[in-house]
Structure formats: C-alpha cells, structure tokens
Amino acid sequence: MIAPRIDPGQREFAGPAAEAADLAFFAGAMRARAGVVLPESKAALIYRRLAPRVRELGLADFASYRARLSDPADPEWDAIVAALTTNHSRFFREIHHFRLLDRHLAAMLRAGAKRIRFWSAGCAAGQEPYSMAMLLARADVAAAGVDARVLATDIDPTALAAAEAAVYPRDDVGHLPRFARAYLRAGTDGKWTLAGPPREMVRFKRHNLVGDVWPMKGPFDAIFCRNMLIYLSPEDQARVVARLVGYLRPRGILCLGHSETARDPALPINRLDVPSAYVRH
C-alpha cells in the first residue's frame, strides 16, 4: 500500500474517493513509464495532481479512472505523465552553468569548431534550451559558418508543446539579460514570444531518459540534465548518467542539478570547479 485511504471528506483532499491501491497503481505506472519514483510519502501529491482530471472526466472515484486505462496506448496516459511530472524552469536558471557554457562555447569557437551541438534533457517549457540558443546567437555562430543546434527533449508532450510555442508571461522574461531581450516580441495579451535565431536553432523531441531507445546521434558538446535524476531510482540515475556521458564529445561538459552527482568513478569525466558540472576526458 502506498498510503492510508484518502478520505474525500477531509478538507485538504475534498474530491473523488481514492483508496491506497488506486494511488499505488499510479505510482507504479509512473515508475514503469517514466522511471519516476513516487514513494508512499507522495500519495497526497498523486491525489492532488490527478483529482482534477478525475472530476473533469465526470468519474466518481479513482477506481473508475483506473478502469478506463486498460489500454497502455490510451492518450490519457500522456495527461497522467504531464500531471505527475514537475516542469518548473526559468531562463538562465543556475547562472553559473550558463557562464560555464559561455566559456566553453568561446573556447570551441577559438579552436575553429564548425559543428556545435547542445542538449537540454528535460527541457520543460523551453526556457533552458532557448537560453543555450541565446548564447549561440550572441556568439553569432551563423556568421562564423558554424552549424549550431540545440536538442530539447522531455517526456511530457504538454510541456513540449508549450516549449515549441515559445510564448512566455512577463514574469518569465522580466529578468532576462539585456542581450537576450532582443529576441522577444511583445504580444497583445501581455505575453512575449521568442523569435529569431535562438528559436530557429532549437529542435524538440519527446524522449524518455529511462527508456531503452535513445534515438539521438550525438556527440554533444554540452548536455544539461538538471533536476531530473532526483526523481529516479539510484539504479536508473547511474544508468542515465552513464548514457549521457557516452553521448559527450571529448572535452564536452555535463551539468546536473545541485543535488545530483555523477558518482561512478569509472566514468571518463572529471568534476569541474562549478557545482554539479563535469567534463569528459
């Protein structure tokens, strides 16, 4: 059992009834589909995230919701994955990683690089890959004849759709550095749309980091996979990091979230003096 029964009469959990077995079912589904570990302590989170969908479908309880999910290809699973994954991001988040990336980019250009590939793994609504692309645009890689691209991947199709739309509220863009504001276009609804080279450089693709198939070719000069590993089991964390490192070009950099580390001493990487950042041998 993932947790005691959620009583819909409780003020905090007012809504459709859910038994422990129902919540355990969705926790198990997320583990199988996305590698996301939702322990017993997350039972209330599962309830809060899925209860609105149960009500929207006109169902009386979580058991009824489970019953309609007999087909593993049901697109409703996309809504579940979207609801139970966290898609929080912002432009130039953890700025020290972007300063490192900027230095790395400058070194590659000085060395005469003509092909540059960055990867944002777990791109959420697109702020991270677009921030990477803004650095490429500021360096005017096109004028230097450099083929530069950013791959942005996420398991959540809803997040990917928002990222491709590239429309952001004022609060998201208000803190952008001055050079980046040149790539914004004001809308009539108080929102801003990203335009120009940074948007053109990014390619989006749905991808499950714990899945068997990784279709990208690589190699990559930089990979950001930040605040994703914390949702995985230790075994999946180790496998994902090893595969990410395998996609890095020699001297390519890997940036993880602040509470995430590459623990395997056998990996061909060295820790940098920037938090949670590594370089491949």
Side-chain angles (χ1 to χ4, degrees), residues 16-95:
E19 299 290 344
D22 300 322
L23 303 177
F25 168 82
F26 289 105
M30 287 298 292
R31 177 70 177 86
R33 285 178 169 267
V36 174
V37 177
L38 295 170
E40 292 185 5
S41 60
K42 298 295 184 181
L45 178 144
I46 295 173
Y47 184 90
R48 285 195 298 268
R49 296 280 182 88
L50 294 183
R53 184 60 179 160
V54 176
R55 288 193 295 266
E56 183 180 342
L57 293 171
L59 301 174
D61 50 38
F62 273 66
S64 300
Y65 194 29
R66 288 177 58 186
R68 66 154 288 174
L69 292 166
S70 57
D71 181 0
D74 190 329
E76 182 64 23
W77 283 111
D78 289 344
I80 293 168
V81 170
L84 294 178
T85 50
T86 301
N87 292 307
H88 173 71
S89 188
R90 65 177 183 271
F91 290 102
F92 294 96
R93 182 182 185 186
E94 295 171 1
I95 188 63

Side-chain angles (χ1 to χ4, degrees), residues 25-236:
F25 168 82
F26 289 105
M30 287 298 292
R31 177 70 177 86
R33 285 178 169 267
V36 174
V37 177
L38 295 170
E40 292 185 5
S41 60
K42 298 295 184 181
L45 178 144
I46 295 173
Y47 184 90
R48 285 195 298 268
R49 296 280 182 88
L50 294 183
R53 184 60 179 160
V54 176
R55 288 193 295 266
E56 183 180 342
L57 293 171
L59 301 174
D61 50 38
F62 273 66
S64 300
Y65 194 29
R66 288 177 58 186
R68 66 154 288 174
L69 292 166
S70 57
D71 181 0
D74 190 329
E76 182 64 23
W77 283 111
D78 289 344
I80 293 168
V81 170
L84 294 178
T85 50
T86 301
N87 292 307
H88 173 71
S89 188
R90 65 177 183 271
F91 290 102
F92 294 96
R93 182 182 185 186
E94 295 171 1
I95 188 63
H96 46 273
H97 283 162
F98 286 97
R99 288 171 178 152
L100 169 66
L101 184 64
D102 202 29
R103 294 194 299 270
H104 182 50
L105 172 59
M108 285 189 290
L109 293 175
R110 286 195 300 271
K114 292 301 180 182
R115 179 187 184 278
I116 295 175
R117 293 292 185 271
F118 296 161
W119 178 12
S120 169
C123 68
Q127 294 94 331
E128 180 176 276
Y130 287 136
S131 296
M132 300 170 97
M134 287 175 185
L135 294 181
L136 291 167
R138 183 176 66 168
D140 204 5
V141 292
V146 178
D147 175 18
R149 294 287 184 271
V150 179
L151 173 65
T153 63
D154 203 283
I155 194 174
D156 180 0
T158 304
L160 285 173
E164 290 194 81
V167 177
Y168 300 97
R170 182 180 301 274
D171 288 348
D172 277 12
V173 302
H175 68 283
L176 277 172
R178 184 171 300 174
F179 81 89
R181 297 173 191 169
Y183 307 119
L184 296 173
R185 303 292 180 266
T188 57
D189 56 358
K191 295 184 179 181
W192 297 76
T193 300
L194 188 73
R199 187 169 180 182
E200 296 162 4
M201 290 181 194
V202 181
R203 299 293 182 269
F204 294 94
K205 187 174 185 63
R206 190 177 184 187
H207 180 243
N208 183 356
L209 282 170
V210 299
D212 294 331
V213 178
W214 285 34
M216 57 287 297
K217 292 181 180 179
F220 293 94
D221 300 286
I223 300 175
F224 279 27
C225 183
R226 304 186 301 170
N227 306 307
M228 297 291 295
L229 301 179
I230 55 175
Y231 300 105
L232 309 181
S233 70
E235 296 77 17
D236 282 339

Side-chain angles (χ1 to χ4, degrees), residues 236-255:
D236 282 339
Q237 289 179 21
R239 281 192 290 268
V240 168
V241 169
R243 295 184 80 173
L244 291 172
V245 170
Y247 273 89
L248 276 176
R249 186 190 303 277
R251 296 181 298 281
I253 60 173
L254 171 67
C255 292

